[in-house]
């Protein structure tokens, strides 16, 4: 009888990159098995999936569009969670950011205070207000935790519902445009984010997201404020003993994380939807947390994971149209990637040991 056990490594593996790659390929193998009952070849399915997502100009454009909000929310997750602020309210921050950007954009219509202004003023202002609205929304959660020791997980989740109902009120009430659908008026064309890759729908939001990621990387890895936030997340008591203002660091992380998600919401309005409508976020706030975890809480990893997730979403829809395979297979693959990467963390600390079970290894417990 073969005995399988875990043996602790003398030193944990420094990099989990190889384990991450193995986890992804294992998830793809599991997904490939699911193709067989539908009479489709795994090679055909994956060729359609990845070919449409990454190897056509149009598909790559849609992949980058889908990845843009994930990148920003992933960076927000890194800032918050590495500071010990386990924030789950990015859905609400995205919605409030979208509302902030829409509020400015709608003022460019006839009778608005920004009517006739150049897009060089209106677009940055709309993006700025989106970030501010998102940061204020998460800042409330941070302040409640700092002042009263509130549970940020529970508070943030409940505030997500408040944000959803607030957007529903706006698009069904004071901001609703005439028509059958609950939505606002359309943002004028001259205030849309410009396309950056000819022949695709890739807008300037991807450039904003990448530049923002560079700034976040510099903040967290090269500045004193980032160092203090990371130390606060690792050990609160030791940080306080070392003279770090833990409450200040948590407030900074809360405002910054929500601001990044609010920025994503404003970009979604100016780059894709061009109007505020119900159901805008579509779970991006939670997927951003997933890509941050897949990226092992590193900015570079979050960017790669966001592009991978965006590609799976875009390629899954194309695969369903071309091969008739259900797009739910892609959801299973995504979930498998997450679970296997999380499980692979165990192999960084332990190694699998195989041996033979000798007779007498298992014995019955004597009765008392």
């Amino acid at each position: 009888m073969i005995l399988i056990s875990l043996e602790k490594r003398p030193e944990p593996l420094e990099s989990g990159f190889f384990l991450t790659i193995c986890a992804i390929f294992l998830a793809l193998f599991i997904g490939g098995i699911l193709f067989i009952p539908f009479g489709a070849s795994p090679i055909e399915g994956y060729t359609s999936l990845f070919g449409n997502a990454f190897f056509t100009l149009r598909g790559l454009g849609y992949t980058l569009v889908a990845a843009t909000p994930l990148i920003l929310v992933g960076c927000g997750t890194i800032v918050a969670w590495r500071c010990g602020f386990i924030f789950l309210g990015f859905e609400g921050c995205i919605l409030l950011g979208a509302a902030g950007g829409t509020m400015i954009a709608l003022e460019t219509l006839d009778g608005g205070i920004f009517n006739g202004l150049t897009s060089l003023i209106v677009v940055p202002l709309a993006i700025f207000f989106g970030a501010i609205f998102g940061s204020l929304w998460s800042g409330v959660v941070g302040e409640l935790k700092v002042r009263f020791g509130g549970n940020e997980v529970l508070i943030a989740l409940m505030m997500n519902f408040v944000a959803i109902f607030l957007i529903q009120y706006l698009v069904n009430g004071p901001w609703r445009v005439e028509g059958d659908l609950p939505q606002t008026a359309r943002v004028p064309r001259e205030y849309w984010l410009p396309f950056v890759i000819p022949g695709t729908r890739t807008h300037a939001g991807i450039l904003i997201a990448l530049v923002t990621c560079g700034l976040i990387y510099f903040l967290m890895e090269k500045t004193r404020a980032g160092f203090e936030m990371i130390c606060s997340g690792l050990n609160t008591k030791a940080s306080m003993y070392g003279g770090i203002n833990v409450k200040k660091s948590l407030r900074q992380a809360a405002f910054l994380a929500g601001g990044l998600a609010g920025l994503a919401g404003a970009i979604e309005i100016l780059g894709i939807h061009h109007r505020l409508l119900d159901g805008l976020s579509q779970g991006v706030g939670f997927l951003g947390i997933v890509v941050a975890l897949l990226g092992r809480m590193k900015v570079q990893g979050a960017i790669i994971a966001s592009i991978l997730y965006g590609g799976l979403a875009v390629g899954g829809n194309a695969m369903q149209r071309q091969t008739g395979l259900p797009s739910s297979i892609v959801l299973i693959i995504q979930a498998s990637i997450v679970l296997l990467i999380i499980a692979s963390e165990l192999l960084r600390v332990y190694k699998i040991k195989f041996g033979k079970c000798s007779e007498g290894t298992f014995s019955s417990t004597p009765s008392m």
Side-chain angles (χ1 to χ4, degrees):
M1 183 176 182
I2 299 177
L3 179 65
I4 302 176
S5 61
L6 295 176
E7 181 179 334
K8 193 169 185 178
R9 300 178 186 273
E11 291 290 337
L13 297 176
E14 294 183 1
S15 175
F17 178 76
F18 176 73
L19 293 176
T20 301
I21 295 299
C22 290
I24 292 174
F25 275 102
L26 181 57
L28 295 177
F29 174 77
I30 294 173
I33 296 176
L34 299 177
F35 292 156
I36 297 176
F38 294 93
S41 165
I43 296 178
E44 178 188 358
Y46 283 128
T47 299
S48 175
L49 176 65
F50 291 104
N52 285 286
F54 299 106
F55 297 103
T56 65
L57 185 62
R58 185 169 181 237
L60 180 61
Y62 281 115
T63 295
L64 294 178
V65 168
T68 298
L70 295 177
I71 291 173
L72 290 169
V73 176
C75 283
T77 304
I78 291 169
V79 172
W81 286 34
R82 293 189 71 179
C83 187
F85 181 59
I86 311 302
F87 185 64
L88 299 179
F90 293 107
E91 283 282 299
C93 294
I94 291 173
L95 294 174
L96 266 292
T102 304
M103 181 185 71
I104 298 299
L106 291 179
E107 290 297 327
T108 62
L109 300 174
D110 293 339
I113 59 176
F114 299 133
N115 180 249
L117 282 183
T118 174
S119 61
L120 296 177
I121 298 176
V122 174
V123 172
L125 190 62
I127 290 175
F128 173 75
F129 265 78
I132 290 296
F133 276 40
S135 65
L136 291 175
W137 195 254
S138 61
V140 172
V141 182
E143 194 64 26
L144 290 174
K145 178 178 176 63
V146 169
R147 285 185 177 271
F148 307 107
N151 187 317
E152 71 270 28
V153 175
L154 180 60
I155 296 172
L157 287 174
M158 293 300 101
M159 288 186 67
N160 283 338
F161 291 101
V162 176
I164 291 171
F165 294 137
L166 178 60
I167 297 302
Q168 289 179 353
Y169 163 74
L170 291 174
V171 298
N172 283 283
W175 289 1
R176 178 166 182 164
V177 69
E178 293 183 4
D180 297 330
L181 299 177
Q183 59 188 12
T184 66
R186 194 179 192 185
V187 176
R189 179 67 179 82
E190 57 268 27
Y191 300 108
W192 296 4
L193 289 176
F195 298 127
V196 294
I197 300 180
T200 72
R201 305 294 296 178
T202 308
H203 53 72
I206 185 64
L207 301 181
I208 297 173
L210 293 176
V211 170
T212 303
C213 282
L215 296 175
I216 294 300
Y217 174 82
F218 180 80
L219 170 68
M220 300 299 291
E221 304 293 338
K222 306 295 181 182
T223 68
R224 177 175 177 175
F227 173 77
E228 291 180 348
M229 283 192 285
I230 293 173
C231 288
S232 298
L234 292 174
N235 193 315
T236 301
K237 292 184 178 179
S239 299
M240 294 175 65
Y241 182 79
I244 295 176
N245 189 336
V246 174
K247 292 184 177 180
K248 177 183 176 182
S249 295
L250 194 145
R251 286 190 178 101
Q252 290 174 341
F255 277 97
L256 186 55
L260 290 169
L263 178 62
I267 288 175
E268 288 288 283
I269 293 296
L270 299 178
I272 302 177
H273 302 290
H274 311 303
R275 65 175 81 227
L276 186 64
L277 62 160
D278 192 16
L280 173 75
S281 179
Q282 298 180 343
V284 171
F286 293 108
L287 284 179
I289 297 174
V290 172
V291 300
L293 293 173
L294 292 182
R296 299 184 182 273
M297 287 296 164
K298 299 291 185 181
V299 173
Q300 310 94 307
I303 294 174
I304 296 173
S306 297
I307 295 175
L308 173 62
Y309 248 65
L312 287 174
V314 172
N317 293 331
M319 179 186 70
Q320 184 178 27
R321 292 193 302 269
Q322 294 180 0
T323 65
L325 291 168
S327 59
S328 57
I329 292 179
V330 176
L331 299 178
I332 296 174
I333 294 172
Q334 290 175 337
S336 300
I337 290 174
V338 174
L339 293 175
L340 291 172
I341 287 180
I342 293 175
S344 70
E345 281 293 309
L346 186 68
L347 298 180
R348 294 182 63 246
V349 182
Y350 296 91
K351 57 183 178 181
I352 301 175
K353 186 177 180 181
F354 297 93
K356 291 185 177 181
C357 180
S358 59
E359 294 183 5
T361 300
F362 299 100
S363 60
S364 60
T365 304
S367 59
M368 298 298 292

